[in-house]
Amino acid sequence: MTHPYFAKTRHPRVLAHRGLLTAAGEDSGVWENSAAAFAAAHAVGVEYIETDCHVSADGDVVLFHDPDLTRLNGDTRAVAEIGTRELRAIFADHGGLLTVREALDSFPGVRFNIDIKTDAAAEPLGALVAPHAHRVLVTSFSDARRQVAIAAALRGGAAIRPATSGGSRTIAAMVALSALHLSPGRVLRSLDALQIPERQRGIRVLTPALIRAAHRHDVEVHVWTVNEASEMTRLIEAGVDGIVSDRADVALETLAAP
C-alpha cells in the first residue's frame, strides 16, 4: 500500500534539496536549510522539501546539514556544542534558523524528507514528527538511526509510522541482490523509497534491475542530487519516481506534465 506521504501529489516527485537558494539570489546570503530557503521552495510550488537535522546544546532538533559551522562561517564548533539561541543569532543573516517543530508548523502544506545526521537526533526527531507522520519521510545513512526514530514516533502516538527510505546497508544489499537477480523482498520490507545517487565511488547504484525490483514491491526510487534539466528528463524516462535537486524550480518546470 502506498504511504499517505505520496498521496495526492505530483508524480514524478520533486524534492527541494535543503530548500531553494537560487530564488533568493546567489548573493543574498541565504543559507541552505534556512527559513528563507524553505519559503523560496514553497513559493515556487514545491510539495517536498529534503532537509537534515542535528541536536543543539539545548536539545532542540535543528535543521542543519554539517556537523559543525565551518562551511557556514568558519566556526569549527560542533552544532551540538552551541545553544539554540546562539544558533539563531548566527543564522539571522543567513535566512533564519528552523527547528523541526518550527518547520512542520510553519509549512503545514509541505511534506518533509528529514535526514538524521547524528544518533542524538533520532529519538527526539521521532517524537516531534509523531503528529505529522502522514507527511514526513524519515531517513539516514544509518539504518539504525531511522529505525530508532520510527520507533519513537510510534511510541509518541503516531497514527501510522512515518514514511522511510533505506540507509547505506540497505542500498548496498539492494544493489547486490538486483545484480544477482535475487529477490529483495526482505530488504524492502517496511520501506517506501530508495533514495540513491546514480553512481557512488565509481559504482553504478541506479540500474534498470534495481528500479524494477523496487517497483515490484511498491517502493519508489528517488535520485540525488540532479540539477541539469536534461539529466532530470533522462532519469524520469528511465523509470525513476523522483528527483532531489538544488534547482527544484527547474525540476518543476522540466517535469511538468505536457
Side-chain angles (χ1 to χ4, degrees):
M1 180 181 296
T2 301
H3 194 281
Y5 183 74
F6 295 121
K8 299 180 181 179
T9 59
R10 289 183 295 266
H11 186 281
R13 323 294 180 192
V14 172
L15 294 87
H17 187 229
R18 307 177 197 170
L20 181 63
L21 302 184
T22 54
E26 293 182 1
D27 300 321
S28 67
V30 170
W31 190 252
E32 62 194 39
N33 282 332
S34 66
F38 284 14
H42 183 257
V44 300
V46 162
E47 295 174 296
Y48 294 95
I49 292 178
E50 186 276 343
T51 186
D52 315 274
C53 70
H54 284 270
V55 175
S56 74
D58 299 316
D60 292 314
V61 186
V62 295
L63 298 181
F64 197 72
H65 177 272
D66 297 0
D68 57 50
L69 303 185
T70 303
R71 192 163 58 92
L72 174 63
N73 64 358
D75 189 337
T76 59
R77 288 179 298 167
V79 174
E81 298 173 355
I82 307 172
T84 306
R85 183 174 180 179
E86 184 176 357
L87 287 170
R88 290 195 192 283
I90 292 168
F91 257 82
D93 294 328
H94 299 285
L97 180 77
L98 281 173
T99 65
V100 167
R101 186 188 301 277
E102 289 165 346
L104 290 167
D105 290 345
S106 298
F107 300 94
V110 171
R111 305 184 190 205
F112 285 93
N113 189 114
I114 305 177
D115 187 351
I116 309 166
K117 290 299 185 184
T118 179
D119 291 348
E123 188 154 345
L125 175 69
L128 288 167
V129 305
H132 308 273
H134 62 288
R135 65 183 183 105
V136 173
L137 185 148
V138 172
T139 189
S140 177
F141 287 110
S142 164
D143 284 295
R145 281 181 200 149
R146 68 179 181 82
Q147 289 163 355
V148 167
I150 290 167
L154 293 171
R155 286 196 307 272
I160 58 170
R161 67 162 176 78
T164 189
S165 66
S168 297
R169 288 186 178 181
T170 298
I171 301 305
M174 270 297 300
V175 171
L177 290 169
S178 60
L180 295 170
H181 304 288
L182 299 174
S183 173
R186 292 184 63 184
V187 174
L188 294 175
R189 188 179 302 160
S190 299
L191 292 184
D192 304 288
L194 292 172
Q195 297 180 327
I196 57 177
E198 189 170 7
R199 295 178 180 82
Q200 183 78 35
R201 298 176 183 174
I203 297 173
R204 175 169 283 279
V205 179
L206 179 72
T207 64
L210 183 145
I211 295 172
R212 288 194 300 269
H215 287 173
R216 279 197 301 271
H217 292 83
D218 296 323
V219 173
E220 294 203 359
V221 178
H222 305 160
V223 177
W224 50 266
T225 304
V226 186
N227 296 330
E228 297 297 327
S230 59
E231 293 297 291
M232 297 172 188
T233 301
R234 177 180 61 80
L235 289 166
I236 296 303
E237 289 177 349
V240 165
D241 300 286
I243 298 295
V244 183
S245 180
D246 297 322
R247 294 302 309 270
D249 50 344
V250 172
L252 287 171
E253 181 178 354
T254 301
L255 304 180

Coordinates of all heavy atoms in Angstrom, one line a residue, residues 118-202:
T118 N 22.8 12.5 13.1 CA 23.5 12.1 14.4 C 22.6 11.2 15.2 O 21.4 11.4 15.2 CB 24.0 13.4 15.2 OG1 24.6 12.9 16.4 CG2 22.8 14.2 15.5
D119 N 23.3 10.3 15.9 CA 22.5 9.4 16.8 C 21.6 10.2 17.8 O 20.5 9.8 18.1 CB 23.4 8.5 17.6 CG 24.1 7.5 16.7 OD1 23.8 7.3 15.5 OD2 25.1 6.8 17.2
A120 N 22.1 11.3 18.3 CA 21.4 12.0 19.3 C 20.1 12.6 18.8 O 19.2 12.9 19.6 CB 22.3 13.1 19.9
A121 N 20.0 12.8 17.5 CA 18.7 13.4 17.0 C 17.6 12.4 16.7 O 16.5 12.8 16.5 CB 19.1 14.1 15.7
A122 N 17.9 11.1 16.7 CA 17.0 10.1 16.2 C 15.7 10.0 17.1 O 14.6 10.1 16.5 CB 17.7 8.7 16.1
E123 N 15.9 9.8 18.3 CA 14.7 9.6 19.2 C 13.9 10.9 19.3 O 12.7 10.9 19.2 CB 15.1 9.1 20.6 CG 13.9 8.7 21.4 CD 14.2 7.7 22.4 OE1 15.2 7.0 22.3 OE2 13.3 7.5 23.3
P124 N 14.5 12.1 19.6 CA 13.7 13.3 19.7 C 13.0 13.7 18.4 O 11.9 14.2 18.4 CB 14.7 14.4 20.1 CG 16.1 13.8 19.9 CD 15.9 12.3 20.0
L125 N 13.7 13.4 17.2 CA 13.0 13.6 15.9 C 11.7 12.8 15.8 O 10.7 13.3 15.4 CB 13.9 13.3 14.8 CG 13.3 13.4 13.4 CD1 12.9 14.9 13.1 CD2 14.1 12.8 12.3
G126 N 11.8 11.5 16.2 CA 10.7 10.6 16.1 C 9.5 11.2 16.9 O 8.4 11.2 16.4
A127 N 9.8 11.7 18.1 CA 8.7 12.2 19.0 C 8.1 13.5 18.3 O 6.9 13.7 18.3 CB 9.3 12.6 20.3
L128 N 8.9 14.3 17.7 CA 8.4 15.5 17.1 C 7.6 15.3 15.8 O 6.6 16.0 15.6 CB 9.6 16.4 16.7 CG 10.4 17.1 17.8 CD1 11.7 17.6 17.3 CD2 9.6 18.2 18.4
V129 N 7.9 14.2 15.1 CA 7.2 14.0 13.8 C 5.9 13.1 14.0 O 5.1 13.0 13.1 CB 8.0 13.4 12.7 CG1 9.3 14.3 12.5 CG2 8.5 12.0 13.1
A130 N 5.7 12.6 15.3 CA 4.6 11.7 15.5 C 3.3 12.2 15.0 O 2.5 11.5 14.4 CB 4.6 11.3 17.0
P131 N 2.9 13.5 15.3 CA 1.7 14.0 14.9 C 1.6 14.3 13.4 O 0.5 14.7 12.8 CB 1.5 15.4 15.7 CG 2.5 15.3 16.7 CD 3.6 14.5 16.2
H132 N 2.7 14.3 12.7 CA 2.9 14.6 11.3 C 3.3 13.4 10.4 O 3.8 13.6 9.3 CB 3.9 15.8 11.1 CG 3.6 16.9 12.0 ND1 2.8 18.0 11.6 CD2 4.1 17.3 13.2 CE1 2.7 18.9 12.6 NE2 3.5 18.5 13.6
A133 N 3.1 12.2 11.0 CA 3.7 11.0 10.3 C 3.2 10.8 8.9 O 3.9 10.2 8.1 CB 3.4 9.8 11.1
H134 N 2.0 11.4 8.5 CA 1.5 11.2 7.2 C 2.3 12.1 6.2 O 2.1 11.8 5.0 CB 0.0 11.6 7.2 CG -0.2 13.0 7.5 ND1 -0.1 13.5 8.8 CD2 -0.6 14.1 6.8 CE1 -0.3 14.8 8.9 NE2 -0.6 15.2 7.6
R135 N 3.0 13.1 6.7 CA 3.7 14.0 5.7 C 5.2 14.1 6.0 O 5.9 15.0 5.6 CB 3.1 15.3 5.7 CG 3.2 16.1 7.0 CD 2.5 17.5 6.9 NE 2.6 18.3 8.0 CZ 3.3 19.4 8.1 NH1 4.1 19.8 7.1 NH2 3.4 20.1 9.2
V136 N 5.8 13.1 6.6 CA 7.2 13.1 6.9 C 7.8 11.7 6.5 O 7.3 10.7 6.8 CB 7.5 13.3 8.4 CG1 9.0 13.1 8.7 CG2 7.0 14.7 8.8
L137 N 8.9 11.8 5.8 CA 9.7 10.7 5.5 C 11.0 10.8 6.3 O 11.7 11.8 6.2 CB 10.1 10.6 4.0 CG 10.8 9.3 3.5 CD1 10.4 8.9 2.1 CD2 12.3 9.5 3.6
V138 N 11.3 9.8 7.1 CA 12.5 9.7 7.9 C 13.6 8.9 7.2 O 13.3 7.8 6.8 CB 12.2 9.2 9.3 CG1 13.4 8.9 10.1 CG2 11.2 10.1 10.1
T139 N 14.8 9.4 7.1 CA 15.8 8.7 6.5 C 17.1 9.0 7.2 O 17.3 9.9 8.0 CB 15.9 9.0 5.0 OG1 16.8 8.1 4.4 CG2 16.4 10.5 4.8
S140 N 18.2 8.2 6.9 CA 19.5 8.4 7.4 C 20.4 7.5 6.6 O 20.0 6.4 6.2 CB 19.6 8.1 8.9 OG 20.9 8.2 9.4
F141 N 21.7 7.8 6.6 CA 22.7 6.9 6.0 C 22.8 5.7 7.0 O 23.1 4.6 6.6 CB 24.0 7.5 5.8 CG 24.1 8.4 4.7 CD1 24.2 9.8 4.8 CD2 24.0 7.9 3.4 CE1 24.2 10.7 3.7 CE2 24.1 8.8 2.3 CZ 24.2 10.1 2.5
S142 N 22.4 5.9 8.2 CA 22.4 4.8 9.2 C 21.0 4.2 9.3 O 20.1 4.9 9.8 CB 22.8 5.4 10.6 OG 22.5 4.5 11.6
D143 N 20.9 3.0 9.0 CA 19.6 2.3 9.1 C 19.1 2.3 10.6 O 17.9 2.4 10.9 CB 19.6 0.9 8.6 CG 19.6 0.9 7.0 OD1 18.6 1.3 6.5 OD2 20.6 0.5 6.4
A144 N 20.1 2.1 11.5 CA 19.8 2.1 12.9 C 19.1 3.4 13.4 O 18.1 3.4 14.2 CB 21.0 1.8 13.8
R145 N 19.6 4.5 12.9 CA 19.1 5.8 13.3 C 17.6 6.0 12.9 O 16.8 6.4 13.7 CB 19.9 7.0 12.7 CG 21.2 7.3 13.4 CD 21.8 8.4 12.7 NE 23.2 8.5 13.1 CZ 24.2 8.9 12.3 NH1 23.9 9.4 11.0 NH2 25.4 9.0 12.6
R146 N 17.4 5.6 11.6 CA 16.0 5.8 11.2 C 15.0 4.9 11.9 O 13.9 5.2 12.1 CB 15.9 5.7 9.6 CG 16.2 4.3 9.1 CD 16.0 4.2 7.6 NE 16.3 2.8 7.1 CZ 15.3 1.9 7.1 NH1 14.1 2.2 7.6 NH2 15.6 0.7 6.7
Q147 N 15.5 3.7 12.2 CA 14.6 2.7 12.9 C 14.3 3.2 14.3 O 13.2 3.1 14.8 CB 15.3 1.4 13.0 CG 15.3 0.7 11.6 CD 16.3 -0.5 11.5 OE1 17.0 -0.7 12.4 NE2 16.2 -1.2 10.3
V148 N 15.3 3.9 15.0 CA 15.1 4.5 16.3 C 14.0 5.6 16.2 O 13.1 5.7 17.0 CB 16.4 5.0 16.9 CG1 16.1 5.9 18.1 CG2 17.3 3.9 17.3
A149 N 14.2 6.4 15.2 CA 13.2 7.5 15.0 C 11.8 7.0 14.7 O 10.8 7.5 15.3 CB 13.7 8.4 13.9
I150 N 11.7 6.0 13.9 CA 10.3 5.4 13.6 C 9.7 4.8 14.9 O 8.5 5.1 15.2 CB 10.5 4.4 12.5 CG1 10.8 5.1 11.2 CG2 9.2 3.6 12.4 CD1 11.2 4.2 10.1
A151 N 10.5 4.1 15.6 CA 10.0 3.5 16.9 C 9.6 4.6 17.8 O 8.5 4.5 18.5 CB 11.1 2.6 17.5
A152 N 10.3 5.7 17.9 CA 10.0 6.8 18.8 C 8.7 7.5 18.3 O 7.9 7.9 19.2 CB 11.1 7.8 18.9
A153 N 8.5 7.6 17.0 CA 7.3 8.2 16.5 C 6.0 7.4 16.9 O 5.0 7.9 17.3 CB 7.3 8.4 15.0
L154 N 6.2 6.1 16.8 CA 5.1 5.2 17.1 C 4.8 5.2 18.6 O 3.6 5.2 19.1 CB 5.3 3.8 16.6 CG 5.4 3.6 15.1 CD1 5.9 2.2 14.7 CD2 4.0 3.9 14.5
R155 N 5.8 5.3 19.4 CA 5.6 5.4 20.9 C 5.0 6.7 21.2 O 4.3 6.8 22.2 CB 7.0 5.3 21.6 CG 7.5 3.9 21.7 CD 8.6 3.7 22.8 NE 9.6 4.7 22.6 CZ 10.7 4.6 21.8 NH1 10.9 3.4 21.2 NH2 11.6 5.5 21.7
G156 N 5.3 7.7 20.4 CA 4.8 9.1 20.6 C 3.3 9.3 20.2 O 2.8 10.4 20.2
G157 N 2.7 8.2 19.7 CA 1.3 8.3 19.3 C 1.0 8.5 17.9 O -0.1 8.8 17.5
A158 N 2.0 8.3 17.0 CA 1.7 8.4 15.6 C 0.7 7.4 15.1 O 0.7 6.2 15.5 CB 3.0 8.2 14.8
A159 N -0.3 7.9 14.4 CA -1.4 7.0 13.9 C -0.9 6.0 12.9 O -1.4 4.9 12.8 CB -2.5 7.9 13.2
I160 N 0.2 6.3 12.2 CA 0.9 5.4 11.3 C 2.4 5.7 11.4 O 2.7 6.7 12.0 CB 0.5 5.7 9.8 CG1 0.7 7.1 9.4 CG2 -1.0 5.3 9.5 CD1 0.6 7.4 7.9
R161 N 3.2 4.8 11.0 CA 4.6 5.1 11.0 C 4.9 6.1 9.9 O 4.3 6.2 8.9 CB 5.4 3.8 10.8 CG 5.3 3.2 9.4 CD 6.4 2.2 9.1 NE 6.3 1.6 7.8 CZ 6.6 2.2 6.7 NH1 7.0 3.4 6.6 NH2 6.4 1.5 5.5
P162 N 5.9 6.9 10.2 CA 6.4 7.8 9.1 C 6.9 7.0 7.9 O 7.3 5.9 8.1 CB 7.5 8.6 9.7 CG 7.4 8.4 11.2 CD 6.7 7.1 11.4
A163 N 6.8 7.6 6.8 CA 7.5 7.0 5.6 C 9.0 6.9 5.9 O 9.5 7.6 6.7 CB 7.2 7.8 4.3
T164 N 9.6 6.0 5.1 CA 11.1 5.9 5.3 C 11.7 5.4 4.1 O 11.1 4.7 3.2 CB 11.3 4.9 6.5 OG1 12.7 5.0 6.9 CG2 10.9 3.5 6.2
S165 N 13.0 5.7 4.0 CA 13.9 5.1 2.9 C 15.1 4.5 3.5 O 15.5 4.8 4.6 CB 14.3 6.3 1.9 OG 15.1 7.2 2.6
G166 N 15.7 3.6 2.7 CA 16.8 2.8 3.2 C 18.1 3.5 3.4 O 18.4 4.5 2.7
G167 N 18.9 3.1 4.4 CA 20.2 3.6 4.7 C 21.2 2.9 3.8 O 20.9 2.1 2.9
S168 N 22.5 3.2 4.2 CA 23.6 2.7 3.3 C 23.6 1.2 3.2 O 23.9 0.6 2.1 CB 24.9 3.2 3.9 OG 25.0 4.6 3.9
R169 N 23.4 0.5 4.3 CA 23.4 -1.0 4.2 C 22.3 -1.6 3.4 O 22.5 -2.5 2.6 CB 23.4 -1.6 5.7 CG 24.6 -1.4 6.5 CD 24.6 -2.1 7.8 NE 25.8 -2.0 8.5 CZ 26.0 -2.5 9.7 NH1 25.1 -3.3 10.3 NH2 27.2 -2.3 10.4
T170 N 21.2 -0.9 3.5 CA 20.0 -1.4 2.7 C 20.3 -1.2 1.2 O 20.0 -2.0 0.4 CB 18.8 -0.6 3.1 OG1 18.4 -0.8 4.5 CG2 17.6 -0.9 2.2
I171 N 20.9 0.0 0.9 CA 21.2 0.3 -0.5 C 22.2 -0.7 -1.1 O 22.1 -1.2 -2.2 CB 21.6 1.7 -0.7 CG1 20.6 2.7 -0.2 CG2 22.0 2.0 -2.2 CD1 19.2 2.6 -0.8
A172 N 23.2 -1.0 -0.3 CA 24.3 -1.9 -0.7 C 23.7 -3.3 -0.9 O 24.0 -4.0 -1.9 CB 25.4 -2.0 0.3
A173 N 22.8 -3.7 -0.1 CA 22.1 -5.0 -0.2 C 21.3 -5.0 -1.5 O 21.2 -6.0 -2.2 CB 21.3 -5.4 1.0
M174 N 20.6 -3.9 -1.7 CA 19.7 -3.9 -2.9 C 20.5 -3.9 -4.2 O 20.2 -4.6 -5.2 CB 18.9 -2.6 -2.9 CG 17.6 -2.6 -2.2 SD 16.4 -3.8 -3.0 CE 16.3 -3.1 -4.7
V175 N 21.6 -3.2 -4.2 CA 22.5 -3.3 -5.4 C 23.0 -4.7 -5.7 O 22.9 -5.2 -6.8 CB 23.7 -2.3 -5.2 CG1 24.7 -2.5 -6.4 CG2 23.2 -0.8 -5.2
A176 N 23.4 -5.4 -4.6 CA 24.0 -6.7 -4.8 C 22.9 -7.7 -5.2 O 23.1 -8.5 -6.1 CB 24.6 -7.2 -3.5
L177 N 21.7 -7.6 -4.6 CA 20.6 -8.6 -4.9 C 20.1 -8.3 -6.3 O 19.8 -9.3 -7.0 CB 19.5 -8.4 -3.9 CG 19.8 -9.0 -2.5 CD1 18.7 -8.5 -1.5 CD2 20.0 -10.5 -2.5
S178 N 19.9 -7.1 -6.7 CA 19.4 -6.8 -8.0 C 20.4 -7.2 -9.1 O 20.0 -7.7 -10.2 CB 19.0 -5.3 -8.2 OG 20.1 -4.5 -8.0
A179 N 21.7 -7.1 -8.8 CA 22.7 -7.5 -9.8 C 22.7 -9.0 -10.0 O 23.0 -9.5 -11.1 CB 24.1 -7.0 -9.3
L180 N 22.4 -9.7 -8.9 CA 22.3 -11.2 -8.9 C 21.0 -11.8 -9.3 O 20.8 -13.0 -9.3 CB 22.8 -11.8 -7.6 CG 24.2 -11.5 -7.1 CD1 24.4 -11.9 -5.7 CD2 25.2 -12.2 -8.1
H181 N 20.0 -10.8 -9.6 CA 18.6 -11.2 -9.9 C 18.0 -12.0 -8.8 O 17.2 -13.0 -9.1 CB 18.6 -12.0 -11.2 CG 19.3 -11.2 -12.4 ND1 18.7 -10.1 -12.9 CD2 20.5 -11.4 -13.0 CE1 19.5 -9.7 -13.9 NE2 20.6 -10.4 -14.0
L182 N 18.3 -11.7 -7.6 CA 17.7 -12.3 -6.4 C 16.6 -11.4 -5.8 O 16.7 -10.2 -5.9 CB 18.7 -12.6 -5.3 CG 19.9 -13.6 -5.7 CD1 20.9 -13.7 -4.6 CD2 19.3 -15.0 -6.1
S183 N 15.6 -12.0 -5.2 CA 14.5 -11.2 -4.6 C 15.0 -10.4 -3.5 O 15.6 -10.8 -2.5 CB 13.4 -12.2 -4.1 OG 12.4 -11.4 -3.5
P184 N 14.6 -9.1 -3.5 CA 15.0 -8.1 -2.4 C 13.9 -7.9 -1.4 O 13.9 -7.0 -0.7 CB 15.3 -6.9 -3.2 CG 14.2 -6.9 -4.3 CD 14.0 -8.3 -4.7
G185 N 12.9 -8.9 -1.4 CA 11.7 -8.6 -0.6 C 12.0 -8.3 0.8 O 11.4 -7.4 1.4
R186 N 12.9 -9.1 1.5 CA 13.1 -8.8 2.9 C 13.8 -7.5 3.1 O 13.6 -6.8 4.1 CB 14.0 -10.0 3.4 CG 13.3 -11.3 3.5 CD 14.2 -12.3 4.2 NE 14.5 -12.0 5.5 CZ 15.3 -12.7 6.3 NH1 15.9 -13.8 5.8 NH2 15.5 -12.4 7.6
V187 N 14.7 -7.1 2.1 CA 15.4 -5.8 2.3 C 14.4 -4.7 2.2 O 14.5 -3.6 2.9 CB 16.5 -5.7 1.2 CG1 17.1 -4.3 1.2 CG2 17.5 -6.8 1.4
L188 N 13.4 -4.8 1.3 CA 12.5 -3.7 1.0 C 11.3 -3.6 2.0 O 10.5 -2.7 1.9 CB 12.0 -3.8 -0.4 CG 13.0 -3.6 -1.5 CD1 12.4 -3.9 -2.9 CD2 13.6 -2.2 -1.4
R189 N 11.2 -4.6 2.9 CA 10.1 -4.7 3.8 C 10.1 -3.4 4.6 O 11.1 -2.9 5.2 CB 10.3 -5.9 4.7 CG 9.1 -6.1 5.6 CD 9.3 -7.4 6.5 NE 9.5 -8.5 5.6 CZ 10.2 -9.6 6.0 NH1 10.6 -9.7 7.3 NH2 10.3 -10.7 5.2
S190 N 8.9 -2.8 4.7 CA 8.7 -1.6 5.5 C 9.4 -0.3 5.0 O 9.6 0.7 5.7 CB 9.1 -1.8 7.0 OG 8.4 -2.8 7.6
L191 N 9.8 -0.4 3.7 CA 10.4 0.8 3.1 C 9.4 1.4 2.1 O 8.5 0.7 1.5 CB 11.7 0.5 2.3 CG 12.9 0.0 3.1 CD1 14.1 -0.2 2.1 CD2 13.3 1.1 4.1
D192 N 9.5 2.7 1.9 CA 8.6 3.4 1.0 C 9.4 4.0 -0.2 O 8.8 4.3 -1.2 CB 7.9 4.5 1.7 CG 7.1 4.0 2.9 OD1 6.1 3.3 2.7 OD2 7.5 4.2 4.0
A193 N 10.7 4.1 0.0 CA 11.5 4.7 -1.1 C 12.9 4.2 -0.9 O 13.4 3.9 0.1 CB 11.5 6.2 -1.0
L194 N 13.6 4.2 -2.1 CA 15.1 4.1 -2.1 C 15.6 5.5 -2.7 O 15.2 5.9 -3.8 CB 15.5 3.0 -3.1 CG 15.2 1.6 -2.6 CD1 15.5 0.6 -3.7 CD2 16.0 1.2 -1.3
Q195 N 16.4 6.1 -1.9 CA 16.9 7.4 -2.3 C 18.4 7.3 -2.4 O 19.1 7.1 -1.5 CB 16.5 8.5 -1.2 CG 15.0 8.7 -1.1 CD 14.6 9.7 -0.1 OE1 15.2 9.9 0.9 NE2 13.4 10.3 -0.4
I196 N 18.8 7.4 -3.7 CA 20.2 7.0 -4.1 C 20.8 8.0 -5.0 O 20.1 8.7 -5.8 CB 20.1 5.6 -4.7 CG1 19.2 5.6 -5.9 CG2 19.7 4.5 -3.7 CD1 19.2 4.3 -6.7
P197 N 22.2 8.0 -5.1 CA 22.8 8.6 -6.2 C 22.8 7.7 -7.4 O 22.7 6.5 -7.3 CB 24.3 8.8 -5.7 CG 24.5 7.7 -4.8 CD 23.1 7.4 -4.1
E198 N 23.0 8.3 -8.6 CA 23.1 7.4 -9.7 C 24.4 6.5 -9.7 O 24.3 5.3 -10.0 CB 23.1 8.2 -11.0 CG 23.0 7.4 -12.3 CD 22.7 8.2 -13.5 OE1 22.8 9.5 -13.4 OE2 22.5 7.6 -14.6
R199 N 25.5 7.1 -9.2 CA 26.7 6.4 -9.0 C 27.3 6.8 -7.7 O 27.1 7.9 -7.2 CB 27.7 6.7 -10.1 CG 27.3 6.2 -11.5 CD 28.4 6.7 -12.5 NE 28.0 6.2 -13.9 CZ 27.1 6.9 -14.7 NH1 26.6 8.0 -14.2 NH2 26.9 6.5 -15.9
Q200 N 28.1 5.9 -7.1 CA 28.7 6.2 -5.8 C 30.1 5.6 -5.9 O 30.3 4.4 -6.0 CB 28.0 5.6 -4.6 CG 28.5 5.9 -3.3 CD 28.2 7.3 -2.8 OE1 27.1 7.8 -3.1 NE2 29.1 7.9 -2.1
R201 N 31.2 6.4 -5.8 CA 32.5 6.0 -5.8 C 32.8 5.1 -7.0 O 33.5 4.1 -6.9 CB 32.9 5.3 -4.5 CG 32.8 6.1 -3.2 CD 33.0 5.4 -2.0 NE 32.8 6.2 -0.8 CZ 32.9 5.8 0.4 NH1 33.1 4.5 0.7 NH2 32.7 6.6 1.4
G202 N 32.3 5.5 -8.1 CA 32.6 4.8 -9.4 C 31.7 3.6 -9.6 O 31.8 3.0 -10.7

